[in-house]
Amino acid sequence: MAVLPHLFTLFYCLNGMSLAEVIHVSPKGDDAHPGSEAMPVATPQRARELSRQRIQNGLKEPLEIRFAEGTYWLNETLELRPEDSGNRECPITWKAEAGARVVWSGGKELPRKWLKGDDGVWSTKLDRTGLEEGQW
């Protein structure tokens, strides 16, 4: 009967179903949310915190951290350690939703309104971007 659990796992994998718990992340989420599909968190940092809580409580199943399409603006370095990978029986996988284009950016979003000067030089105001003069 040792083959039966493996066949069960294979059946679910072939049918595209996941046996993993999932933490959902979306640029439209909120870090006060639990990370469910209906209430995703907003940042990779919060997803990492939730993942570490599960590690601390003892992983009982694989864990996926699944990102919805969009750009995630990182205000600080996201450090992942070896323990953030889970273990052999319960791996932790970070991935985009199927077909989603996900970007993690450590840069700053610039204003989309640019003006062409008389000298042919383009410029924009950096107000409220964190890139004001003296803040670089």
Side-chain angles (χ1 to χ4, degrees):
M1 293 310 282
V3 173
L4 189 56
H6 297 292
L7 290 175
F8 184 72
T9 301
L10 179 63
F11 172 76
Y12 274 94
C13 290
L14 291 175
N15 282 302
M17 299 180 78
S18 173
L19 296 175
E21 178 183 4
V22 179
I23 296 172
H24 293 271
V25 189
S26 170
K28 298 175 185 169
D30 185 321
D31 280 349
H33 288 168
S36 64
E37 188 171 8
M39 298 180 73
V41 297
T43 64
Q45 290 86 346
R46 181 61 180 146
R48 181 191 59 200
E49 289 173 15
L50 292 174
S51 154
R52 287 180 175 174
Q53 288 173 6
R54 285 164 175 79
I55 292 168
Q56 190 172 27
N57 293 335
L59 286 175
K60 295 171 183 58
E61 59 188 334
L63 178 63
E64 278 185 12
I65 300 173
R66 197 176 300 162
F67 290 84
E69 180 150 339
T71 300
Y72 297 83
W73 298 97
L74 305 178
N75 294 326
E76 59 188 39
T77 300
L78 178 68
E79 181 181 348
L80 297 175
R81 300 182 180 148
E83 57 268 24
D84 291 314
S85 296
N87 56 50
R88 180 172 287 200
E89 295 78 30
C90 299
I92 298 173
T93 306
W94 294 61
K95 67 185 215 176
E97 290 179 353
R101 181 175 181 268
V102 174
V103 176
W104 289 7
S105 178
K108 297 282 186 183
E109 186 171 22
L110 295 176
R112 298 179 191 267
K113 184 177 180 182
W114 289 76
L115 301 172
K116 185 175 181 181
D118 294 335
D119 56 1
V121 175
W122 289 85
S123 65
T124 188
K125 293 190 182 270
L126 297 177
D127 300 342
R128 297 183 300 272
T129 62
L131 296 173
E132 291 85 4
E133 189 170 336
Q135 294 185 347
W136 298 53

